[in-house]
């Protein structure tokens, strides 16, 4: 419903753009956008003609540092500094000496571009390869190398985007003049650019003078972290930046005056930036964020795109440290870019940004907000993203899931900037085409689409999963809407269970005054109080359900919700404190009886779990927990006796039983799981054989079942990992009950493998044939709790999220919505799970017994719950309607915040319950029985009769009741006739 608001944003955003400082409105604007709609993934395509490309830099990939007459660069010198003790073997490849060996594998790289289907390729020329000493004469071998590359790109129809200088300054110029600290360098750079324009300009339409001058100036000449490693402090860093700006302007004017008329190309400068957000949304913090961007991006962007001078915040804060431009120089520098070339990603963000440049604010990776800021700050320029991506570990080979999801996030944010914010972006360049030397990070990370084994001789390119991702994205020109992503209209069948969950209901057994048998006298003359008369008592009356005020309140809240079912768990540890029938909490049992009967009275079906694990002793009686809990086989029989007591005490009111609710496999040993399965089966058979005929209920187990998706959908390894996790998380308990009576083969095979290879000692017990027979088929339905979806991969990327036991890496898709507790909101995961259950266990009746998300006790986040409920139920409808899943019911977790803080449909403050908007939304779905549309046929469901225990007597004796009614009516009619005729006779007699 808020999509029109989002589509109006581009129009609103264009108003009044252009003056320096207008980017400051970015933070408040994005804080006001509708939540969560603005954060949803945008399924749309990019404008026609959008440019898709990949990039690389000469020093990172070329290698061949002593081949073809190449001279040394400052990076060659920097990388060869002694980093290890004399005589020690180097840990791996040295700098960019060989790197990806692109110098000797030109056609290999171009073949990678052909496979991707890109429209352009950004690469840099090596100044020291074309001019070994930094000045004339030119190196013929270098000229021939780049000419071959350009001709091959032309044959494939790939547009070259050429960077003249990507950090690899000829060492000779550093030695002779001090590099960019010298005012001589701008003219020398002009001469080098003239050579390039003259030799290559006929093949090149897009030129970039240099890459990320901030890194060159600040870390090359101020901090010394990067080549040439000069620790000259801020003054020298700003002087180097001054000369870089002058050099860029000279080259732009050179091209504009001498080459543009014939070559008709465009020239810009690749500027790198971070993004920053305020710690709190205050005017002061926003000014500090603006200042942070001024000091990094604005340092070079404002002179070029606005007025030829530095940002005011820099001039006022740096004073004499910042050089000054003359008025002539300002005019010369202003406007020296034909488009805005942006570099954003791992090179600068969180890597090379000094902490003091953040001005005590928080760094972020929001490309969309940066694009909007640039558009507002610099006259709405045409923006070309010439470098963007993230990185993976240097040990990651070809399943680079983390890289894919960052890429997906950045590209999606670019699409939103275009479609929602009206930003003019015309091209995107992923970094990089292939793995290479990653500057100060060396070979510890990888950023390529193609994998390179740096230890191999031939340096073959092997496509990673990200190649397939990017290739398909280019083919589709974005993320077009897919039928499976669209909501459907329709309704659920008659009798569909609409429920809500409260793991443990609010139990308040405080006796009312009507149960007090004492006699009181009211002292009306003095104290005005009731005085107890000692030794005098009235007869005690029987307890009644109306004595529990807490039950009446909960019934009214549930009725307000319009649910048909209510799911809660009993407390074994409180009902039988000693774990056996020697001590029974009759008061609590009576409370549960009253609660269930009151539910039936208001036409709500109670769904009752016998046991649900909790933190304290797993909610087992202390005597059982003390002796091992489910590790001890005696707990099995104790559970059977407890169940027998519950069926006997509550069975007249409860027709929908759960033996065990969400037993956590994360906290179960294999022995405990073994005993738990046998206990469930014994209880199921107990009910089936002794109680089902008279109580006519149903019973099963409820399993927690979050979906697991392979992080790289194109990877067989990741698919195997996902299948393995599903079997360990769900199949462990489900397969014996719903399948063949034994554990999944995948589990047993995996444990045998790791026990033999890694010397583990994990023993998965065996069932006897009788036990298999006992367990197999011990269900009436499949009940599952589902909350989220997890991505898993086979490549170890993050040690914190890597499970060595199952050899699985947990991955996060950062484009997904997340709750305050970081639970991912992935509605389609529920549909996939339901289809998986059907495919494995047949057409079993399925209940989604719990589904919900936290809100951080923030009403803004309740909007996320509204979205969550709406879309998860719609995916459930797809499973029922499109996939023929035998879905019988859906329950929201949870009832209220008092018993489940942050998850409730009712908030609870100051002893008051208030319905949240999500409750009202759920109620509306219940009232509609789904999502009916204009074409949805009307479903006429018979009126359901309240299933109360007191009514059972009458419903089972309908013939007798009819006969009695007939006799009663006949008796009344007879009396009426007798009276009537008696009066007539009496009148006649008179």
């Amino acid at each position: 419903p808020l999509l029109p608001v989002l589509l109006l944003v581009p129009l609103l955003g264009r108003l009044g753009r252009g003056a320096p400082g207008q980017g400051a409105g970015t933070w408040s604007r994005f804080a006001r956008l509708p939540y969560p709609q603005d954060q949803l993934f945008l399924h749309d395509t990019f404008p026609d003609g959008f440019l898709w490309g990949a990039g690389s830099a000469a020093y990172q990939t070329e290698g061949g540092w002593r081949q073809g007459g190449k001279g040394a660069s400052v990076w060659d010198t920097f990388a060869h500094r002694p980093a290890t003790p004399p005589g020690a073997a180097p840990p791996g490849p040295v700098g960019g000496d060989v790197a990806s060996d692109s110098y000797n594998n030109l056609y290999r790289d171009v073949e990678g571009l052909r496979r991707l289907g890109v429209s352009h390729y950004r690469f840099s020329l090596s100044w020291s390869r074309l001019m070994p000493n930094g000045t004339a004469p030119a190196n013929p071998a270098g000229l021939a190398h780049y000419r071959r590359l350009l001709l091959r790109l032309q044959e494939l129809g790939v547009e070259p985007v050429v960077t003249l200088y990507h950090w690899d300054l000829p060492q000779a110029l550093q030695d002779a003049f001090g590099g960019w600290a010298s005012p001589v360098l701008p003219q020398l750079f002009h001469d080098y650019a003239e050579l390039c324009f003259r030799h290559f300009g006929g093949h090149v339409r897009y030129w970039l003078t240099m890459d990320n001058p901030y890194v060159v100036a600040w870390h090359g000449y101020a901090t010394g972290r990067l080549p040439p490693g000069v620790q000259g402090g801020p003054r020298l860093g700003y002087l180097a930046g001054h000369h870089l700006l002058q050099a860029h302007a000279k080259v732009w004017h050179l091209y504009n005056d001498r080459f543009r008329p014939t070559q008709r190309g465009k020239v810009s400068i690749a500027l790198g930036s971070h993004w920053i957000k305020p710690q709190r949304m205050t005017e002061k913090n926003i000014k500090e964020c603006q200042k942070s961007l001024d000091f990094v991006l604005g340092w070079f962007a404002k002179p070029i795109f606005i007025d030829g001078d530095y940002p005011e915040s820099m001039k006022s804060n740096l004073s004499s440290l910042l050089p000054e431009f003359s008025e002539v120089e300002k005019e010369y520098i202003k406007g020296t870019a034909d488009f805005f070339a942006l570099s954003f990603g791992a090179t600068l963000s969180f890597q090379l940004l000094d902490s003091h440049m953040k001005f005590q604010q928080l760094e972020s990776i929001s490309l969309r907000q940066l694009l909007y800021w640039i558009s507002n700050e610099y006259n709405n320029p045409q923006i070309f993203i010439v470098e963007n991506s993230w990185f993976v570990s240097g040990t990651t080979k070809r399943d680079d899931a983390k890289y894919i999801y960052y890429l997906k996030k950045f590209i999606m944010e670019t699409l939103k900037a275009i479609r929602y914010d009206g930003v003019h972006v015309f091209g995107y360049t992923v970094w990089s085409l292939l793995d290479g030397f990653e500057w100060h990070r060396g070979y510890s990370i990888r950023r390529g689409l193609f994998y390179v084994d740096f230890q191999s001789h031939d340096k073959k390119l092997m496509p990673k999963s990200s190649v397939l991702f990017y290739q398909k994205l280019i083919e589709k020109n974005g993320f077009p809407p897919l039928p499976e992503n669209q909501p459907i209209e329709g309704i659920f069948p008659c009798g569909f269970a609409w429920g809500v969950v409260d793991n443990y209901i609010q139990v308040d057994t405080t006796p009312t005054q009507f149960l007090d048998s004492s006699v009181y006298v009211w002292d009306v003359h003095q104290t005005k109080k009731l005085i107890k008369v000692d030794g005098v008592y009235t007869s005690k009356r029987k307890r009644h359900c109306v004595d529990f005020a807490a039950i009446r309140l909960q019934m009214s809240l549930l009725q307000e919700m319009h649910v048909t079912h209510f799911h809660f768990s009993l407390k074994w540890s409180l009902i039988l404190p000693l774990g056996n029938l020697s001590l029974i909490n009759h008061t609590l049992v009576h409370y549960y009886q009253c609660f269930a009967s009151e539910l039936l009275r208001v036409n709500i079906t109670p769904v009752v779990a016998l046991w649900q694990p909790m933190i304290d002793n797993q909610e087992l009686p202390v005597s059982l927990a003390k002796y091992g809990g489910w590790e001890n086989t005696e707990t099995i029989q104790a559970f059977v006796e407890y169940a027998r007591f519950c069926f006997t005490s509550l069975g007249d009111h409860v027709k929908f039983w759960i033996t065990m609710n969400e037993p956590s496999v994360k906290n179960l040993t294999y022995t405990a799981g073994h005993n738990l399965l046998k206990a469930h089966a014994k209880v199921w058979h107990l009910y089936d054989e002794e109680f089902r005929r008279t109580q006519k209920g149903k019973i099963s187990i409820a399993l927690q079942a979050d979906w697991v998706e392979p992080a790289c959908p194109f990877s067989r390894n990741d698919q195997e990992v996902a299948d393995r996790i599903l079997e360990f998380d769900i199949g462990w308990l489900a397969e014996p009950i719903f399948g063949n009576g034994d554990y999944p083969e995948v589990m047993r095979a995996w444990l045998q493998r790791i026990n033999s290879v890694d010397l583990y000692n994990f023993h998965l017990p065996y069932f006897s044939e009788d036990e298999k027979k006992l367990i197999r088929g011990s269900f009436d339905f499949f009940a599952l709790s589902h909350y989220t979806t997890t991505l898993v991969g086979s490549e170890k990327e993050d040690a914190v999220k890597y499970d060595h036991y199952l050899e699985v890496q947990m991955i996060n898709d950062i484009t997904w919505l997340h709750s305050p507790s970081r639970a991912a909101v992935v509605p389609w995961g529920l549909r996939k799970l339901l289809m998986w259950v059907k495919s494995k266990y047949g057409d079993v009746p399925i209940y989604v017994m719990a589904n919900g998300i936290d809100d951080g006790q923030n009403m803004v986040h309740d909007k996320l719950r509204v979205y969550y409920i709406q879309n998860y139920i719609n995916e459930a409808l797809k499973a029922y309607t499109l996939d023929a899943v035998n879905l019988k019911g859906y329950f929201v977790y949870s009832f209220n915040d008092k018993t489940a803080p942050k998850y409730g449909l009712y908030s609870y403050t100051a002893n008051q319950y208030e319905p949240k908007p999500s409750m009202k939304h759920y109620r509306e779905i219940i009232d509609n029985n789904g999502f009916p549309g204009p074409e949805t046929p009307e479903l006429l469901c018979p009126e359901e009769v309240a299933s109360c225990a007191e009514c059972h007597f009458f419903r089972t004796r309908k013939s007798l009741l009819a006969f009695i009614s007939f006799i009663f009516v006949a008796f009344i009619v007879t009396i009426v006739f007798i009276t009537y005729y008696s009066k007539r006779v009496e009148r006649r007699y008179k």
Side-chain angles (χ1 to χ4, degrees):
L2 290 173
L3 185 60
V5 176
L6 294 172
L7 295 177
L8 280 173
V9 168
L11 176 61
L12 299 174
R14 293 191 189 99
L15 301 178
R17 285 183 180 174
Q22 284 200 1
T26 300
W27 292 277
S28 59
R29 174 191 183 271
F30 278 89
R32 295 192 306 268
L33 291 179
Y35 175 85
Q37 282 76 8
D38 183 65
Q39 295 186 21
L40 297 178
F41 194 87
L42 175 59
H43 290 278
D44 201 349
T45 56
F46 284 80
D48 292 341
F50 191 82
L51 302 179
W52 295 103
S56 67
Y59 186 75
Q60 289 186 280
T61 60
E62 274 189 3
W65 78 295
R66 287 180 171 173
Q67 286 183 259
K70 178 184 176 297
S73 73
V74 292
W75 265 100
D76 290 318
T77 304
F78 194 80
H80 285 87
R81 295 179 307 171
T84 56
V94 178
D97 289 3
V98 179
S100 317
D101 202 22
S102 290
Y103 181 74
N104 296 302
N105 290 278
L106 183 151
Y107 293 106
R108 173 205 68 180
D109 293 358
V110 176
E111 176 60 22
L113 294 168
R114 185 198 63 77
R115 178 167 182 168
L116 284 170
V118 295
S119 56
H120 70 273
Y121 177 45
R122 180 193 169 193
F123 66 94
S124 71
L125 306 174
S126 171
W127 190 346
S128 58
R129 189 176 295 284
L130 290 170
M131 291 181 163
N133 295 315
T135 58
N139 175 20
L143 291 170
H145 170 74
Y146 292 117
R147 193 177 295 113
R148 283 197 301 274
L149 174 58
L150 288 168
L151 288 173
R152 182 60 181 147
L153 292 175
Q154 185 176 1
E155 290 172 7
L156 290 178
V158 175
E159 188 82 56
V161 178
V162 181
T163 309
L164 293 170
Y165 168 61
H166 200 128
W167 306 3
D168 49 350
L169 182 74
Q171 182 63 43
L173 300 184
Q174 182 64 33
D175 294 339
F177 305 105
W180 290 108
S182 169
V184 174
L185 259 290
Q187 183 57 45
L188 296 178
F189 187 57
H190 168 279
D191 298 341
Y192 161 62
E194 183 179 15
L195 171 76
C196 297
F197 292 153
R198 190 170 64 251
H199 282 271
F200 309 129
H203 302 285
V204 180
R205 283 199 307 158
Y206 293 101
W207 290 96
L208 300 173
T209 57
M210 58 186 69
D211 182 88
N212 212 336
Y214 165 86
V215 172
V216 176
W218 191 253
H219 291 301
Y221 294 88
T223 70
R225 286 182 63 187
L226 298 179
V230 179
Q231 298 178 1
R235 186 180 299 278
L236 190 64
Y238 289 121
L239 180 62
H242 201 71
H243 296 149
L244 285 163
L245 275 166
Q246 291 172 328
H248 159 76
K250 272 184 174 291
V251 170
W252 186 89
H253 282 286
L254 166 68
Y255 189 85
N256 193 56
D257 296 342
R258 293 181 49 190
F259 295 96
R260 192 189 302 274
T262 56
Q263 296 180 1
R264 299 182 181 180
K266 296 182 178 181
V267 180
S268 189
I269 179 172
L271 300 180
S273 185
H274 62 304
W275 181 248
I276 198 89
K277 63 181 182 181
Q279 291 204 35
R280 292 184 304 278
M281 284 295 292
T282 65
E283 186 176 347
K284 179 180 182 299
N285 285 346
I286 289 175
K287 286 182 179 179
E288 294 299 286
C289 289
Q290 181 78 9
K291 188 190 300 182
S292 176
L293 292 172
D294 282 346
F295 269 65
V296 178
L297 178 57
W299 179 4
F300 299 94
K302 183 174 175 288
I304 293 171
F305 290 92
I306 298 297
D307 59 5
D309 202 2
Y310 296 115
E312 287 300 319
S313 60
M314 291 186 72
K315 292 198 290 185
S316 60
N317 279 271
L318 297 174
S319 186
S320 60
L321 289 176
L322 193 65
E324 294 184 1
F325 290 118
S326 68
E327 291 303 317
V328 173
E329 287 177 318
K330 291 178 187 178
E331 286 298 317
Y332 189 72
I333 293 171
K334 181 175 68 175
T336 55
D338 301 322
F339 54 91
F340 196 111
L342 175 65
S343 168
F344 181 79
T347 301
L348 184 56
S349 293
F350 300 97
Q351 295 292 325
L352 293 175
L353 182 68
D354 282 3
S355 58
H356 71 274
M357 292 285 191
K358 302 175 189 177
F359 295 95
Q360 299 181 329
Q361 305 309 309
L362 304 174
E363 196 171 0
S364 171
I365 54 170
S366 177
L367 175 57
R368 177 187 173 188
Q369 293 186 47
L370 175 62
L371 290 169
Y372 184 82
W373 185 88
I374 290 170
S375 186
N376 278 265
E377 190 79 4
Y378 302 122
N379 288 320
N380 197 19
Q382 294 284 331
I383 300 174
F384 192 174
I385 299 173
V386 294
E387 175 183 347
N388 178 239
S389 75
W390 207 243
F391 60 89
V392 294
S393 166
T395 60
T396 299
K397 292 183 169 58
R398 298 177 63 181
D399 290 333
D400 53 343
K402 174 184 171 184
Y403 185 92
I404 288 175
Y405 290 111
Y406 273 92
L407 205 60
K408 181 181 173 186
K409 169 186 168 62
F410 291 135
I411 294 173
M412 186 266 290
E413 290 195 346
T414 303
L415 181 60
K416 284 186 176 180
I418 295 170
R419 297 302 187 195
Y420 288 168
D421 308 328
V423 179
H424 296 133
V425 184
F426 67 89
Y428 178 89
T429 311
V430 69
W431 201 269
S432 63
L433 173 64
L434 67 166
D435 291 334
F437 175 72
E438 290 299 334
W439 309 116
H440 61 295
R441 301 291 297 273
Y443 295 97
S444 66
I445 64 172
R446 294 176 180 268
R447 296 183 67 194
L449 293 168
F450 287 90
Y451 175 81
V452 176
D453 181 356
F454 298 112
Q455 303 298 332
S456 67
H457 175 71
D458 55 7
K459 303 290 189 300
K460 286 183 179 178
L461 292 192
M462 290 179 279
K464 302 181 188 178
S465 293
S466 54
V467 165
L468 296 173
F469 168 79
Y470 195 49
Q471 182 185 58
K472 290 181 180 299
L473 187 143
I474 293 172
E475 286 177 3
K476 297 176 181 178
N477 198 32
F479 310 100
L482 300 173
E484 58 265 32
N485 296 330
Q486 306 305 308
I488 67 168
E489 295 176 344
I491 55 178
F492 290 92
C494 291
F496 190 79
W498 292 105
V500 69
V501 185
D502 201 353
N503 283 343
Y504 294 105
I505 58 174
Q506 177 190 347
V507 176
D508 184 358
T509 59
T510 304
T512 67
Q513 59 180 339
F514 302 108
L515 298 178
D516 189 351
S517 60
S518 301
V519 175
Y520 297 84
V521 174
W522 187 12
D523 184 0
V524 297
H525 299 293
Q526 295 181 8
T527 63
K528 310 292 185 184
K529 295 181 179 179
L530 291 173
I531 301 174
K532 184 177 181 181
V533 179
D534 295 331
V536 180
Y537 302 95
T538 63
S539 59
K540 290 187 178 181
R541 72 165 178 82
K542 183 181 177 181
R543 292 174 180 265
H544 297 289
C545 292
V546 293
D547 296 327
F548 300 117
I551 293 180
R552 295 197 301 273
L553 174 60
Q554 293 179 77
M555 293 304 116
S556 66
L557 297 177
L558 289 169
Q559 283 183 284
E560 183 182 17
M561 201 182 299
H562 298 181
V563 291
T564 63
H565 289 64
F566 181 62
H567 173 34
F568 64 95
S569 300
L570 304 177
K571 287 203 169 188
W572 184 6
S573 62
L574 296 183
I575 293 175
L576 302 180
L578 300 182
N580 55 50
L581 299 178
S582 64
L583 180 61
I584 301 171
N585 188 338
H586 289 288
T587 303
L588 180 59
V589 172
H590 179 62
Y591 187 91
Y592 284 135
Q593 290 171 336
C594 288
F595 197 93
S597 65
E598 287 299 296
L599 283 172
L600 293 172
R601 187 182 63 80
V602 296
N603 207 27
I604 296 175
T605 301
V607 181
V608 180
L610 294 171
W611 173 74
Q612 175 163 343
M614 296 295 282
I615 296 174
D616 296 335
N617 294 324
Q618 287 198 315
E619 191 41 50
L620 295 172
V622 175
S623 60
L624 296 177
K626 182 179 179 181
Y627 292 101
W630 289 110
E631 295 274 339
N632 191 334
T633 55
E634 291 184 5
T635 304
I636 299 174
Q637 191 56 38
F639 185 62
V640 173
E641 293 307 314
Y642 161 64
R644 184 191 303 277
F645 173 76
C646 292
F647 296 153
T648 303
S649 304
L650 301 171
D652 287 340
H653 307 287
V654 179
K655 311 300 178 188
F656 199 141
W657 289 99
I658 301 293
T659 56
M660 301 160 176
N661 193 52
E662 298 184 19
S664 174
V665 296
K666 306 294 184 186
N667 301 319
L668 276 182
T669 64
Y670 293 123
T671 300
H674 200 69
N675 290 334
L676 187 145
L677 281 166
K678 289 191 284 187
H680 155 77
K682 284 178 177 288
V683 168
W684 186 88
H685 283 283
L686 169 69
Y687 189 84
D688 188 56
E689 294 163 9
E690 299 184 23
F691 294 94
R692 190 189 300 274
R693 185 178 62 82
T694 56
Q695 296 182 1
K696 301 189 182 336
K698 53 189 174 184
I699 184 168
S700 196
I701 188 172
L703 304 176
Q704 181 163 338
D706 287 334
W707 180 243
V708 179
E709 184 78 2
C712 293
F714 320 107
S715 166
R716 180 179 299 176
N717 292 335
D718 284 10
Q719 184 63 59
E720 288 178 359
V721 170
D723 293 341
R724 181 161 68 244
I725 299 304
L726 285 170
E727 295 294 357
F728 271 82
D729 284 0
I730 306 173
W732 176 5
L733 300 181
E735 185 65 26
I737 298 171
F738 300 92
N740 61 11
D742 201 357
Y743 297 114
E745 280 300 319
V746 170
M747 270 187 85
R748 204 171 286 285
W750 180 258
L751 292 176
Q752 289 174 351
R753 173 188 174 277
I754 64 171
N755 285 340
S756 62
V757 175
D758 299 322
L759 301 179
Y760 286 111
N761 188 24
F762 293 109
H763 174 64
L764 186 62
Y766 287 86
F767 293 114
S768 68
E769 290 303 316
D770 287 342
E771 287 172 335
K772 290 180 183 178
K773 185 177 179 181
L774 177 79
I775 296 169
R776 183 172 59 244
S778 56
F779 68 91
D780 295 333
F781 51 87
F782 195 117
L784 59 89
S785 299
H786 174 83
Y787 302 98
T788 189
T789 291
T790 303
L791 292 172
V792 295
S794 57
E795 295 270 8
K796 183 179 179 180
E797 178 66 36
D798 181 354
V800 176
K801 296 181 178 180
Y802 186 77
D803 185 333
H804 291 271
Y805 167 50
L806 292 175
E807 296 182 9
V808 56
Q809 177 70 62
M810 303 300 173
I811 302 289
N812 181 35
D813 184 341
I814 54 177
T815 66
W816 287 349
L817 283 174
H818 289 82
S819 74
S821 68
R822 302 304 299 161
V825 179
V826 193
W828 52 259
L830 174 58
R831 182 183 178 190
K832 286 198 170 187
L833 172 67
L834 295 172
M835 289 192 291
W836 183 84
V837 171
K838 179 185 177 184
S839 68
K840 281 189 68 70
Y841 305 120
D843 193 32
V844 57
I846 302 176
Y847 288 86
V848 178
M849 201 55 69
N851 180 238
I853 199 165
D854 62 293
D855 59 14
Q857 294 184 325
N858 185 331
M859 292 309 292
V860 172
H861 292 137
D862 188 61
K863 295 179 181 179
L864 179 61
R865 182 181 290 108
V866 170
Y867 171 84
Y868 183 99
I869 291 173
Q870 169 85 13
N871 288 275
Y872 272 83
I873 296 177
N874 197 265
E875 291 296 321
L877 181 63
K878 291 178 186 177
Y880 168 73
T881 304
L882 305 178
D883 309 323
V885 172
N886 189 8
L887 187 62
K888 295 295 187 179
Y890 172 90
F891 292 66
V892 165
Y893 180 81
S894 169
F895 182 21
N896 62 73
D897 282 342
K898 183 177 182 181
T899 52
K902 304 179 184 179
Y903 284 86
L905 295 180
Y906 284 90
S907 62
Y908 180 79
T909 52
N911 296 320
Q912 294 290 323
Y913 292 93
E914 290 293 334
K916 299 178 184 179
S918 55
M919 188 285 282
K920 298 175 181 177
H921 188 70
Y922 183 45
R923 182 175 63 193
E924 182 181 346
I925 294 173
I926 294 173
D927 291 343
N928 290 322
N929 199 30
F931 309 94
E935 305 299 322
T936 305
E938 185 177 0
L939 185 65
L940 298 176
C941 297
E943 189 74 20
E944 293 194 12
V945 180
S947 178
C948 66
E950 292 80 359
C951 301
H952 181 69
F953 173 85
F954 300 103
R955 287 202 307 272
T956 57
R957 293 165 174 82
K958 292 180 180 178
S959 299
L960 176 61
L961 288 174
F963 178 72
I964 293 173
S965 299
F966 172 76
I967 296 298
F968 179 74
V969 171
F971 175 75
I972 295 298
V973 170
T974 302
I975 295 298
V976 169
F977 274 106
I978 291 172
T979 304
Y980 173 73
Y981 283 106
S982 295
K983 289 183 178 180
R984 284 190 62 182
V985 170
E986 185 179 347
R987 285 197 299 270
R988 184 179 302 167
Y989 177 77
K990 289 181 178 181

